[in-house]
């Protein structure tokens, strides 16, 4: 019983400490920040990328600097080291995907759900092969194997 309680407690702690710093999209998007201010899509736009810590520090050198979470953020920023965010959406390496191509035709919400209302990002939408193919069917986009695996 005691062991069970301890392991349940452990699981809860793990859930609560999902990310190294409890960043909330809801809090920040309420201020009118736009997705692409933090998630730039450089080059060919395969990745949506994570913001540089210096971007956060434009506000947090002054805002909430007494918070232990902001102090941790400031330490990463001072070391010019990225915060080790835990990935929520991640494809295996053998799948080709481009953010730039998709965001030209569909919204972020189609694949990531209602991020603007989320305190903590969880996987709201599947990124399985079936999910990709269903949407390609719907939009009459190709579904040949090589389209997503080893494209020319
Ligand atoms: C102020 C900067 C900022 C803005 C604005 C912002 N994000 Fe984020 N986003 C982050 C940070 C930091 C993380 C990593 C922490 C986390 O997962 O919550 C993240 C993580 C994510 C992830 C999880 C990616 C993964 O695989 O781990 C998604 C999806 C995402 N953001 C979508 C959005 C969308 C959609 C918008 C606009 C509605 C948006 N973000 C606006 C900073 C931002
Ligand atoms: C068609 C579906 C789709 C759309 C639309 C989409 N994403 Fe993603 N997103 C994904 C997939 C799939 C991944 C995992 C990519 C990987 O691991 O290579 C991902 C990963 C991410 C990540 C993690 C970092 C990265 O680039 O791998 C962030 C941040 C993110 N998306 C933000 C956004 C934002 C912001 C938008 C809107 C501007 C958006 N996404 C639109 C499917 C989508
Ligand atoms: C436009 C200014 C602005 C930017 C940019 C910004 N924040 Fe914030 N952040 C705020 C404000 C305002 C609050 C809410 C303060 C409050 O609760 O009174 C906040 C709250 C937080 C908190 C909660 C702190 C606590 O202990 O209550 C964290 C963590 C945080 N931000 C992390 C980040 C991260 C990480 C980034 C960069 C990805 C970032 N912020 C970018 C303005 C900003
Ligand atoms: C919400 C609908 C939707 C989802 C979900 C979706 N796609 Fe797409 N995808 C499209 C559309 C529409 C196009 C065609 C865009 C165009 O014609 O410019 C496309 C185009 C592509 C392309 C071609 C890129 C290029 O360079 O032209 C690839 C590769 C691709 N998708 C892979 C994926 C993968 C992998 C997933 C799942 C992780 C996925 N897609 C999920 C709608 C979607
Ligand atoms: C629209 C994009 C897309 C197309 C088209 C596509 N795949 Fe996939 N495929 C994926 C994604 C995404 C994954 C990774 C799924 C995951 O990790 O859940 C995947 C995974 C796989 C895997 C690994 C095993 C598995 O199920 O996870 C194999 C094998 C595979 N695909 C074969 C094929 C074949 C054969 C075709 C043609 C009939 C094809 N794929 C067409 C997106 C696609």
């Amino acid at each position: 019983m005691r062991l069970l309680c301890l392991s349940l407690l452990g699981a809860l702690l793990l859930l609560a400490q999902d990310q190294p710093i409890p960043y909330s999209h809801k809090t920040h998007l309420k201020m009118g920040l736009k997705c692409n201010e933090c998630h730039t899509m450089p080059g060919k736009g395969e990745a949506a990328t994570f913001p540089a810590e210096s971007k956060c520090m434009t506000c947090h050198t002054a805002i909430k600097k007494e918070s232990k979470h902001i102090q941790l953020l400031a330490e990463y920023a001072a070391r010019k080291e990225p915060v080790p965010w835990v990935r929520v959406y991640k494809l295996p390496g053998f799948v080709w995907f481009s953010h730039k191509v998709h965001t030209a035709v569909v919204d972020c919400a189609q694949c990531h759900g209602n991020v603007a209302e989320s305190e903590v990002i969880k996987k709201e939408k599947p990124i399985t092969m079936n999910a990709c193919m269903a949407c390609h069917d719907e939009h009459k986009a190709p579904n040949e194997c090589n389209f997503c695996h080893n494209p020319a």
Side-chain angles (χ1 to χ4, degrees), residues 38-103:
C38 287
H39 299 295
T40 58
M41 298 173 191
K44 285 197 274 177
E46 288 162 37
T49 71
F50 292 96
E53 286 57 42
S54 56
K55 165 76 184 168
C56 315
M57 295 316 287
T58 54
C59 293
H60 284 296
T61 31
I63 295 170
K64 279 262 169 173
K65 58 181 181 184
E66 72 290 353
S67 149
K68 67 178 197 306
H69 305 303
I70 298 303
Q71 283 160 11
L72 183 58
L73 176 66
E75 283 167 25
Y76 281 110
R79 291 199 300 267
K80 294 193 167 54
E81 211 180 278
V83 176
W85 301 116
V86 177
R87 287 291 303 270
V88 182
Y89 293 90
K90 184 95 187 82
L91 289 172
F94 57 82
V95 181
W96 165 251
F97 181 79
S98 159
H99 268 90
K100 215 173 246 173
V101 167
H102 285 91
T103 51

Side-chain angles (χ1 to χ4, degrees), residues 91-92 94-95 127-129 132-133 136 143-145 148-149:
L91 289 172
F94 57 82
V95 181
I127 52 166
T128 56
M129 180 158 124
C132 310
M133 289 178 118
H136 281 202
N143 262 332
E144 287 88 53
C145 312
C148 304
H149 304 297

Side-chain angles (χ1 to χ4, degrees), residues 2-4 7 10 15 18 27 32 35-36 43 47-48 50 65 67 74 80 86 98 110 123-124 129-130 151:
R2 187 146 160 224
L3 201 64
L4 183 68
S7 48
L15 278 177
D18 221 356
T27 302
C35 312
N36 62 8
F50 292 96
K65 58 181 181 184
S67 149
K80 294 193 167 54
V86 177
S98 159
Q110 291 247 13
K123 199 187 258 176
E124 285 185 39
M129 180 158 124
N130 278 343

Side-chain angles (χ1 to χ4, degrees), residues 19 21 23-25 28-29 33-39 49-51 55-56 85-90 108-109 112-113 115-116 119-121:
Q19 295 291 352
I21 295 172
Y23 170 80
S24 158
H25 278 81
H28 289 83
L29 292 172
L33 293 170
K34 298 278 170 283
C35 312
N36 62 8
E37 282 180 56
C38 287
H39 299 295
T49 71
F50 292 96
K55 165 76 184 168
C56 315
W85 301 116
V86 177
R87 287 291 303 270
V88 182
Y89 293 90
K90 184 95 187 82
C108 313
H112 297 305
V115 169
E119 295 286 357
V120 177
I121 298 224

